[in-house]
Amino acid sequence: MSKVLIVEDERAIVEILKFNLSREGYETLEALDGEAGLQLARTADPDLILLDVMLPKLDGFSICRQLREGGISTPIIMLTAREEENDKVFGLEAGADDYITKPFSMRELMARVKANIRRRTLDSAEGPAPSQETPSTGLVLDPDGFAARKNGVLVELTQKEFDLLSFLMAAPDKVFTREELLDKVWNYDYYGDMRTVDVTVRRLREKIEDDPGKPAHILTKRGAGYYFVL
Ligand code: CA
């Protein structure tokens, strides 16, 4: 049974999330403040974290950043307020895989939870993939640990960074539109926000490019999308 950690200080939202997640067969854990949330995220090994932004003691962005800095790659969906447009980008930059704006429809939220957990399950069920070393870049995917190795140096990736990089690397030089990437990598063909793709690309470049401002591997095709170059 997949385990979802809910970090949210509004009791009513926690209750409705618990109700709907259990009905869909998920086990739930809850934390009503940021410190408790960070603690549970580290110790309870959840399969997915629903993370509110405004929390007592420690905010959602800080939790997200601390988890990623500690090498924890659990999928994180930020719960952001609709009026706080910047929160979406801040959350993704802090290492979240996705966000959903409040007030959200339960149907949309459950679809996102499923999409993120499904990918994780598929990834781990595939087991160690054959080495995908690309000698010209020295960039190797490490499917077990949501990481890559660049010239032998381990680069920790979040799940979505890993998914996006492996997807692009599988078809070098092929240009994918943001819509295609949202569909194939995030499993959404609806509610798509292109900034999700842009911010994840930016994060990836910061990790794998020598000069993220002049990327050599993940390139932008102006007006079209992104492509990978060996
Ligand atoms: Ca809150």
Side-chain angles (χ1 to χ4, degrees), residues 8-10 52-56 102:
E8 165 66 73
D9 59 327
E10 282 174 65
D52 186 27
V53 174
M54 297 293 286
L55 290 163
K102 290 181 188 174

Side-chain angles (χ1 to χ4, degrees), residues 208-229:
I208 65 159
E209 300 282 2
D210 291 332
D211 179 356
K214 292 186 186 133
H217 301 304
I218 300 180
L219 302 192
T220 305
K221 178 89 174 168
R222 196 179 289 266
Y226 296 107
Y227 63 108
F228 184 82
V229 175

Side-chain angles (χ1 to χ4, degrees), residues 1-74:
M1 189 191 280
S2 296
K3 199 169 12 172
V4 177
L5 170 61
I6 304 161
V7 186
E8 165 66 73
D9 59 327
E10 282 174 65
R11 206 14 118 178
I13 296 181
V14 173
E15 289 307 322
I16 194 158
L17 285 172
K18 274 169 65 178
F19 174 78
N20 282 277
L21 287 163
S22 346
R23 201 173 56 173
E24 295 285 329
Y26 296 103
E27 188 184 332
T28 59
L29 289 164
E30 63 192 87
L32 294 167
D33 68 66
E35 281 176 8
L38 181 61
Q39 175 77 6
L40 270 179
R42 283 175 168 155
T43 56
D45 193 28
D47 296 290
L48 181 124
I49 303 169
L50 293 174
L51 184 57
D52 186 27
V53 174
M54 297 293 286
L55 290 163
K57 295 186 185 174
L58 192 61
D59 69 85
F61 300 135
S62 307
I63 294 174
C64 196
R65 207 171 293 115
Q66 288 187 44
L67 289 174
R68 295 311 187 216
E69 281 168 7
I72 292 176
S73 63
T74 311

Side-chain angles (χ1 to χ4, degrees), residues 6-215:
I6 304 161
V7 186
E8 165 66 73
D9 59 327
E10 282 174 65
R11 206 14 118 178
I13 296 181
V14 173
E15 289 307 322
I16 194 158
L17 285 172
K18 274 169 65 178
F19 174 78
N20 282 277
L21 287 163
S22 346
R23 201 173 56 173
E24 295 285 329
Y26 296 103
E27 188 184 332
T28 59
L29 289 164
E30 63 192 87
L32 294 167
D33 68 66
E35 281 176 8
L38 181 61
Q39 175 77 6
L40 270 179
R42 283 175 168 155
T43 56
D45 193 28
D47 296 290
L48 181 124
I49 303 169
L50 293 174
L51 184 57
D52 186 27
V53 174
M54 297 293 286
L55 290 163
K57 295 186 185 174
L58 192 61
D59 69 85
F61 300 135
S62 307
I63 294 174
C64 196
R65 207 171 293 115
Q66 288 187 44
L67 289 174
R68 295 311 187 216
E69 281 168 7
I72 292 176
S73 63
T74 311
I76 295 175
I77 302 177
M78 304 285 307
L79 307 175
T80 67
R82 198 175 292 280
E83 62 271 21
E84 300 292 340
E85 277 293 307
N86 285 334
D87 281 4
K88 302 170 183 176
V89 174
F90 289 154
L92 293 166
E93 280 173 347
D97 295 278
D98 200 2
Y99 59 82
I100 191 162
T101 48
K102 290 181 188 174
F104 46 81
S105 84
M106 209 39 75
R107 185 171 156 271
E108 182 186 355
L109 182 103
M110 295 308 302
R112 300 237 173 162
V113 166
K114 264 181 210 147
N116 279 282
I117 289 188
R118 186 173 58 218
R119 275 221 66 89
R120 187 176 165 82
T121 311
L122 281 178
D123 286 342
S124 42
E126 279 161 9
S131 168
Q132 298 176 56
E133 189 156 7
T134 51
S136 58
T137 64
L139 200 59
V140 188
L141 293 171
D142 176 9
D144 280 347
F146 294 123
R149 278 180 191 277
K150 192 188 176 187
N151 303 323
V153 180
L154 188 72
V155 182
E156 297 274 2
L157 301 176
T158 68
Q159 184 184 332
K160 283 299 171 223
E161 288 163 2
F162 179 85
D163 290 347
L164 178 63
L165 181 61
S166 16
F167 184 81
L168 290 172
M169 282 178 82
D173 302 321
K174 180 167 165 38
V175 178
F176 295 97
T177 65
R178 292 170 174 81
E179 290 85 348
E180 284 172 327
L181 293 171
L182 266 183
D183 181 23
K184 304 290 187 201
V185 177
W186 277 262
N187 289 318
Y188 311 145
D189 49 4
Y190 51 91
Y191 301 118
D193 185 327
M194 301 310 139
R195 282 177 305 177
T196 305
V197 177
D198 296 334
V199 175
T200 309
V201 164
R202 194 191 320 156
R203 270 178 7 209
L204 253 181
R205 282 174 173 160
E206 277 162 15
K207 291 183 178 181
I208 65 159
E209 300 282 2
D210 291 332
D211 179 356
K214 292 186 186 133

